Amino acid sequence: MRDQHASPGIDIDQTQEPKTLVEAAYLRLRRDIIEGIYAPGEKLRVEHLKDQYEVGAGTLREALLLLVTDALVVAQGQRGFRVAPISIADCEDISHTRVLLETEALRQSIARGDDAWEAALVAAFHRLTRAEQKLCDNDDSTTEEWEKCNRAFHEALIAASTSRWIRHFQQILYQQSERYRRVSLFRQPITRDIHAEHHALFDATLARDAARASSILSEHILRTLDAVKRLPVDFFSQRA
Amino acid sequence: MRDQHASPGIDIDQTQEPKTLVEAAYLRLRRDIIEGIYAPGEKLRVEHLKDQYEVGAGTLREALLLLVTDALVVAQGQRGFRVAPISIADCEDISHTRVLLETEALRQSIARGDDAWEAALVAAFHRLTRAEQKLCDNDDSTTEEWEKCNRAFHEALIAASTSRWIRHFQQILYQQSERYRRVSLFRQPITRDIHAEHHALFDATLARDAARASSILSEHILRTLDAVKRLPVDFFSQRA
DNA sequence: TCAATAATTAATCTCGAGATTTCAATATAG
DNA sequence: CTATATTGAAATCTCGAGATTAATTATTGA
């Protein structure tokens, strides 16, 4: 159901098809939660969802349990499941912790990254550039494509890090921040020049300038936080 | 089944009794894995374990899924569950990541901790001191008691941290390091003066000396890593 | 003797139904 | 009118059996 490799390597193998109904339901549910189809704090009733996703009750429960690992769902004994709530305080926490982890991982990558890492990073940046060019033209359809490229780029940056655990935690936090990024982009499309930030980050990393790269990455992450802070406060009212 | 509070607050409420069979099986299984009753890498067969723990197969599967969240169990689709493997490289990773997270959290605690935090810390240190005094006399029976006090002390240190996420990740890593600490303590009981380290850490923290406290905490964590490194290499051979 | 294939065994994955608990609406007393 | 208690419905938790898949052993051919 999940990749066995290494203690913190509890990531689903995204490339190949889901091998089990639990995994399939997990992937669909995760996408729907991140996309906001189920509101933060909303109750997730197994009886209704099992029909929605066309699986048995036990299967759906297991998918929900898998989402607890990602902290996208919270479970209480005898009181079922809920979508994990969101708040400005949580977004601040996520952003600052991401800065701590990703800058450290980036320093490790820059120190120990080999040619293969550089090549993969160049490829990821190229794909991201293309996606961001398309993003200027169309609006909706390519957003999901850009999200994948953005994620791949950030992962490629720290791929040469020596710490599996940091990368594991980074993936969880990145996924969390994706929820906030969506509501932020929806309300105030894009004001800043994200591609310029990515380009500067890419250049500094390839130049092996750890200090500058870390600094740019920090500001890059915190700028997204600022965008969320500018949202109206009632945006974070949770649904029962 | 789990405490609902906050996104990363996916920790079981340890204080009160388990409210569900899944939670009870989870707690028992977790203890048995950390204590090494099931060897790292060992296959966990649901059919056998359901009799051992006297629950249904589905219930035990859910408990296993919960342990995936703690990275104590790894799951592969259609190929069942295994105890997460251990290795020297993994222990190094855990230790260094703990240093990164716990020193940051400790700095936050020292900066923002109030009187209540200080009081709780003093209490935790007192209990730890008592447990370590008992540890000098007896050997086996009080080890588990000491583990609880040690954990409580480390959590009390960072309890005033502003970051729920760091505390969440710290709990996972601490639990992981507990597995290594057990095998380490079993082979070479205690050579260094752990209590002196705890005392110095406690004093520096109460003195609000963030730099010194972080430094002591770093060395404290890395010393445990050194003990694991001194173990014979064949200790990490995994069982099929 | 070794490799490849086929049959057997075992374990996992999946589903539906029953027991227990929680939640909500209604009724009743102060 | 408010607060408490009661009743009913909904949802969760749990279990056992059947279907699907992986691992093991045995067999056959080179």
Side-chain angles (χ1 to χ4, degrees), chain A residues 48-147:
Chain A
H48 297 169
L49 265 46
K50 79 184 176 76
D51 301 328
Q52 179 85 16
Y53 293 92
E54 295 172 323
V55 292
T59 303
L60 192 77
R61 279 183 63 84
E62 293 197 5
L64 253 12
L65 251 10
L66 245 21
L67 284 163
V68 170
T69 300
D70 297 326
L72 290 171
V73 164
V74 290
Q76 315 170 68
Q78 304 284 37
R79 287 203 283 175
F81 301 87
R82 283 182 178 277
V83 179
I86 63 176
S87 66
I88 292 183
D90 184 49
C91 187
E92 285 186 328
D93 187 4
I94 289 169
S95 301
H96 290 133
T97 307
R98 270 190 69 192
V99 166
L100 179 69
L101 294 179
E102 289 197 31
T103 57
E104 171 63 23
L106 182 56
R107 277 184 223 105
Q108 292 179 5
S109 260
I110 288 176
R112 301 175 189 248
D114 57 3
D115 291 347
W117 166 69
E118 276 194 8
L121 179 60
V122 170
F125 179 71
H126 183 258
R127 279 191 287 271
L128 178 62
T129 302
R130 281 294 167 82
E132 282 172 342
Q133 286 171 345
K134 286 183 187 172
L135 208 61
C136 294
D137 309 338
N138 302 1
D139 266 3
D140 302 346
S141 59
T142 51
T143 301
E144 190 173 354
E145 175 70 15
W146 174 80
E147 266 294 348

Side-chain angles (χ1 to χ4, degrees), chain A residues 203-220:
Chain A
D203 287 342
T205 301
L206 272 199
R208 306 270 174 171
D209 188 340
R212 190 157 63 94
S214 296
S215 172
I216 296 171
L217 180 57
S218 267
E219 292 180 13
H220 178 64

Side-chain angles (χ1 to χ4, degrees), chain A residues 1-2 69 75-77 93 163, chain B residues 1-2 69 75-77 93 163:
Chain A
M1 169 185 326
R2 289 192 161 217
T69 300
Q76 315 170 68
D93 187 4
S163 174
Chain B
M1 168 188 330
R2 290 191 162 216
T69 302
Q76 316 169 68
D93 187 5
S163 173

Side-chain angles (χ1 to χ4, degrees), chain A residues 39-42 84-88 232-240:
Chain A
E42 182 176 347
I86 63 176
S87 66
I88 292 183
V233 287
D234 66 321
F235 207 95
F236 294 95
S237 56
Q238 315 275 318
R239 190 189 303 178

Side-chain angles (χ1 to χ4, degrees), chain A residues 11-40:
Chain A
D11 326 85
I12 287 234
D13 193 347
Q14 304 271 7
T15 58
Q16 56 194 9
E17 289 299 297
K19 288 278 189 289
T20 186
L21 285 185
V22 171
E23 187 175 331
Y26 160 77
L27 290 173
R28 291 180 57 194
L29 262 167
R30 188 178 68 175
R31 201 193 55 185
D32 291 346
I33 289 175
I34 290 178
E35 289 191 0
I37 293 181
Y38 304 109

Side-chain angles (χ1 to χ4, degrees), chain A residues 137-189:
Chain A
D137 309 338
N138 302 1
D139 266 3
D140 302 346
S141 59
T142 51
T143 301
E144 190 173 354
E145 175 70 15
W146 174 80
E147 266 294 348
K148 286 178 65 174
C149 291
N150 190 39
R151 173 178 205 142
F153 176 65
H154 277 268
E155 287 186 3
L157 282 170
I158 64 173
S161 155
T162 52
S163 174
R164 288 177 187 273
W165 281 100
I166 290 184
R167 291 203 300 276
H168 173 56
F169 293 149
Q170 188 274 338
Q171 284 169 3
I172 293 178
L173 290 177
Y174 183 91
Q175 192 168 243
Q176 289 285 326
S177 65
E178 206 171 322
R179 305 175 75 196
Y180 294 94
R181 198 158 40 249
R182 283 197 178 269
V183 303
S184 167
L185 289 178
F186 179 73
R187 292 287 296 221
Q188 38 192 9

